């Protein structure tokens, strides 16, 4: 399996829960199965908020301790694809091997220095290994703006 493409989402203007739900919804629209990896307290909170994030919608999901294979969105403390996920959505500074999933989405709160430092470390590890990484920063309205990594300057002839 080729190395995963890593997408980094820097939250600045909403809560983690409010930022996560639309990202998960887009994954479902693309028919992607996802494992959301986080601390148990975060997963408990998400478990509730994903059912009610919008009045006209809910995001079908389940916990890893239930029948994991049937859930398109699996909430777990471990980065394992027991639901057949090709996408890992990492929260709370969680980590995963670079070649475990096709896409890894690292979502972190800009106000959480520990999570921010972990995201920087992951970004550096991915790019140093020659992997694909994209960085998105949250805009005031809750949308995302991609910041492109500057290309190295071409060497000048002598």
């Amino acid at each position: 399996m080729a190395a995963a493409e890593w997408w980094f989402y820097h939250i600045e203007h909403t809560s983690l829960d409010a930022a996560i739900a639309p990202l998960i919804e887009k994954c479902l629209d693309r028919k992607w199965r996802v494992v959301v990896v986080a601390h148990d307290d975060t997963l408990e909170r998400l478990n509730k908020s994903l059912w009610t994030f919008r009045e006209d919608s809910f995001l079908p999901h389940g916990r890893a301790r239930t029948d994991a294979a049937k859930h398109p969105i699996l909430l777990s403390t471990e980065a394992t694809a027991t639901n057949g996920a090709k996408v890992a959505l990492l929260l709370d500074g969680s980590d995963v091997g670079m070649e475990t999933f096709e896409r890894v989405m690292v979502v972190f709160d800009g106000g959480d220095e520990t999570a921010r430092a972990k995201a920087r470390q992951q970004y550096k590890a991915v790019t140093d290994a020659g992997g694909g990484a994209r960085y998105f920063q949250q805009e005031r309205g809750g949308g995302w703006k991609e910041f492109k990594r500057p290309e190295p300057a071409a060497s000048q002839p002598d």
Side-chain angles (χ1 to χ4, degrees), residues 22-32 34 87 105:
L23 293 175
I24 291 174
E25 189 172 46
K26 286 183 182 185
C27 290
L28 286 176
D29 288 347
R30 293 181 171 119
K31 308 284 190 252
W32 294 344
V34 179
V87 177
M105 300 166 73

Side-chain angles (χ1 to χ4, degrees), residues 8-113:
F8 294 82
Y9 291 89
H10 182 164
I11 299 171
E12 293 192 317
H13 302 288
T14 66
S15 69
L16 178 73
D17 295 8
I20 295 299
L23 293 175
I24 291 174
E25 189 172 46
K26 286 183 182 185
C27 290
L28 286 176
D29 288 347
R30 293 181 171 119
K31 308 284 190 252
W32 294 344
R33 294 178 77 80
V34 179
V35 60
V36 178
V37 184
H39 298 143
D40 201 47
D41 58 328
T42 300
L43 295 176
E44 281 300 319
R45 197 180 66 247
L46 281 175
N47 187 39
K48 293 174 186 164
S49 70
L50 292 179
W51 289 109
T52 59
F53 88 100
R54 259 195 355 235
E55 285 188 27
D56 64 339
S57 178
F58 75 96
L59 295 171
H61 65 280
R63 295 295 304 265
R65 59 182 172 244
T66 61
D67 186 10
K70 73 178 184 178
H71 300 296
I73 304 299
L74 185 66
L75 306 179
S76 179
T77 57
E78 297 179 22
T80 56
T82 53
N83 66 335
K86 301 288 186 209
V87 177
L89 196 152
L90 306 179
L91 307 173
D92 297 335
S94 300
D95 212 346
V96 66
M98 283 195 206
E99 296 184 8
T100 307
F101 294 90
E102 291 177 13
R103 174 159 299 141
V104 177
M105 300 166 73
V106 177
V107 182
F108 61 98
D109 184 334
D112 181 341
E113 186 52 46

